[in-house]
Amino acid sequence: MTIINRLDCQDCSMIRQEHISFSDKRRSYTHTFARFVLELSKRMTIKDVAIYAQTSWDIVKDIQQRYLKKKFDKPRLKHLRYIAIDEIHIGHEYLTIVMDLEEGVIVYVGDGKSAQSLDPFWRRLRRYKKRIRAVAMDMSPAYISAVQKSLPDADIVFDHFHVVKLFNEKLSDLRRALHHELENTMEKHVLKGTRWLLLKNPENLDEEKNEKERLEEALKLNQPLATAYYLKEDLRQIWIQKNKRSATAFLKDWIARAQASGIQILKKFATTLASHRTGILAYYNHSISSGPIEGTNNKIKTLNKQAYGFRDHEFFKLKIYALHETKYALVG
């Protein structure tokens, strides 16, 4: 039963009026009124709470911000062992997110996506750096240099979802280039619209829409495209080998086949994988990925969308910290 159900109309009216008599000049509401607003905030937007409580948007926001600041201003770091680092694009800016992979909570939100974006986190983590065993991340040079410098004892694990995503981008580029090169109108028609079919996993192809047949027709049309597609399917096998030794041999073979393909995009990607070999195979030492943080990034975007953007940057960060704490979560 919510606080709204427990109060009759007279009680609600009294609580709404309490905020005008608080003696603290910095705030114009009582602790009772603040608790009332926070209970409403778990189910209503700031605007709706302000209307219901007959107060201003700024007061509701101030109550929320003080509450969240008390709970999440400095997340605990001493227990960290496995973390993930990723970037998220919000509006016209980037944020750097650090997640505790064992607890599934955000422990740091930084501005930008440069190596310097992590500096405040490293300063807070200084006493506990040696406890970090591994970091899951993409192949961002900025994050790689930051982790190598600040966590020299930790292993870097390149997230396999990001590796596959990067290859999919190359595959799309190749399909686009081949489409422009084709002169035959019929061949262009076959290749057109196959982008999503190429990126789909084979088991997800829709038989009712003849997606498998359409894909096979496109692959027969162009050998370089077929080579890239089958290499894409093989790429996923790197992370499902029996052990690190088998994975090492498989990766070596994959790189050799891509380099021997004669396709410039594939050769360049093979060079990239070769230079990041250690971080890719580190998955067999620490089976972690930044998959959980990707899900959180979607929640952050939804949070921002629901609130039509946040005017207060620090308030938005506090909201992000609270995302995984259901009992503290407040509507935007």
Side-chain angles (χ1 to χ4, degrees):
M1 183 180 293
T2 68
I3 192 169
I4 298 174
N5 294 329
R6 293 197 304 267
L7 297 170
D8 59 28
C9 293
Q10 184 178 359
D11 293 329
C12 287
S13 178
M14 289 173 62
I15 289 177
R16 291 190 191 107
Q17 295 302 318
E18 273 193 337
H19 71 283
I20 65 174
S21 60
F22 192 67
S23 59
D24 189 341
K25 295 181 179 179
R26 294 172 300 173
R27 291 174 290 174
S28 59
Y29 50 82
T30 65
H31 294 299
T32 302
F33 181 75
R35 289 197 299 271
F36 175 66
V37 166
L38 289 170
E39 185 67 27
L40 293 177
S41 296
K42 293 179 180 179
R43 297 160 180 83
M44 301 165 66
T45 65
I46 293 178
K47 180 180 178 181
D48 290 338
V49 173
I51 292 172
Y52 185 85
Q54 296 179 15
T55 189
S56 71
W57 188 96
D58 289 325
I59 285 179
V60 176
K61 179 252 183 178
D62 183 68
I63 290 172
Q64 285 195 13
Q65 186 160 7
R66 287 173 182 272
Y67 173 74
L68 293 172
K69 189 175 180 63
K70 180 180 178 181
K71 298 293 182 182
F72 301 103
D73 188 38
K74 290 185 178 180
R76 292 169 57 247
L77 303 179
K78 65 180 181 180
H79 62 288
L80 292 180
R81 296 193 309 160
Y82 296 98
I83 62 175
I85 300 175
D86 200 8
E87 65 188 45
I88 180 172
H89 188 212
I90 296 292
H92 301 292
E93 62 182 340
Y94 283 91
L95 295 176
T96 290
I97 308 292
V98 180
M99 174 181 276
D100 174 357
L101 289 174
E102 292 185 299
E103 295 294 329
V105 300
I106 299 297
V107 293
Y108 175 73
V109 182
D111 298 318
K113 59 175 182 176
S114 66
Q116 290 71 36
S117 301
L118 288 160
D119 286 347
F121 177 67
W122 302 138
R123 287 194 291 270
R124 283 205 61 218
L125 190 66
R126 186 175 292 114
R127 291 171 53 191
Y128 314 113
K129 284 182 178 181
K130 290 188 178 297
R131 297 184 183 182
I132 304 293
R133 298 183 61 186
V135 183
M137 55 192 287
D138 61 19
M139 294 185 286
S140 161
Y143 291 158
I144 292 172
S145 64
V147 172
Q148 288 177 336
K149 179 181 178 181
S150 298
L151 299 176
D153 297 324
D155 290 336
I156 291 176
V157 181
F158 292 126
D159 180 69
H160 53 285
F161 295 109
H162 279 97
V163 176
V164 173
K165 180 182 177 182
L166 182 59
F167 186 81
N168 283 342
E169 291 172 0
K170 304 303 180 185
L171 184 58
S172 294
D173 291 341
L174 178 61
R175 184 204 65 85
R176 194 177 300 112
L178 292 173
H179 183 267
H180 288 314
E181 290 176 4
L182 289 175
E183 297 181 359
N184 187 299
T185 304
M186 182 60 70
E187 291 179 341
K188 280 196 172 188
H189 176 74
V190 171
L191 197 57
K192 185 179 180 180
T194 58
R195 179 188 175 194
W196 298 114
L197 300 182
L198 289 167
L199 301 184
K200 269 189 173 184
N201 294 333
E203 60 270 20
N204 295 331
L205 292 172
D206 193 332
E207 292 184 7
E208 294 183 2
K209 295 181 180 179
N210 297 320
E211 289 184 344
K212 184 177 180 180
E213 290 76 10
R214 288 170 55 200
L215 177 60
E216 289 177 348
E217 189 177 0
L219 295 179
K220 288 178 182 177
L221 182 67
N222 194 284
Q223 186 57 46
L225 187 64
T227 300
Y229 176 77
Y230 292 121
L231 279 172
K232 183 206 79 165
E233 290 309 301
D234 279 350
L235 183 63
R236 295 192 297 158
Q237 305 300 311
I238 294 172
W239 292 275
I240 58 173
Q241 299 300 306
K242 291 182 179 180
N243 50 51
K244 188 174 182 178
R245 188 173 184 177
S246 297
T248 301
F250 192 95
L251 177 59
K252 181 179 179 181
D253 178 68
W254 193 97
I255 291 172
R257 284 186 289 143
Q259 289 176 333
S261 69
I263 303 169
Q264 191 59 35
I265 290 178
L266 298 186
K267 291 170 66 177
K268 188 174 181 180
F269 186 79
T271 300
T272 298
L273 287 196
S275 63
H276 293 81
R277 189 191 311 258
T278 301
I280 292 172
L281 296 172
Y283 177 78
Y284 285 87
N285 299 328
H286 314 278
S287 55
I288 60 174
S289 79
S290 56
I293 210 171
E294 288 290 329
T296 297
N297 285 349
N298 292 330
K299 291 181 181 180
I300 294 172
K301 290 177 180 178
T302 300
L303 177 66
N304 187 62
K305 194 174 184 180
Q306 288 175 339
Y308 301 101
F310 280 82
R311 291 176 283 177
D312 187 324
H313 194 63
E314 295 308 310
F315 182 44
F316 183 42
K317 286 184 179 182
L318 290 171
K319 287 275 193 174
I320 294 173
Y321 285 127
L323 275 176
H324 294 277
E325 297 284 353
T326 305
K327 62 181 177 179
Y328 298 127
L330 305 175
V331 178

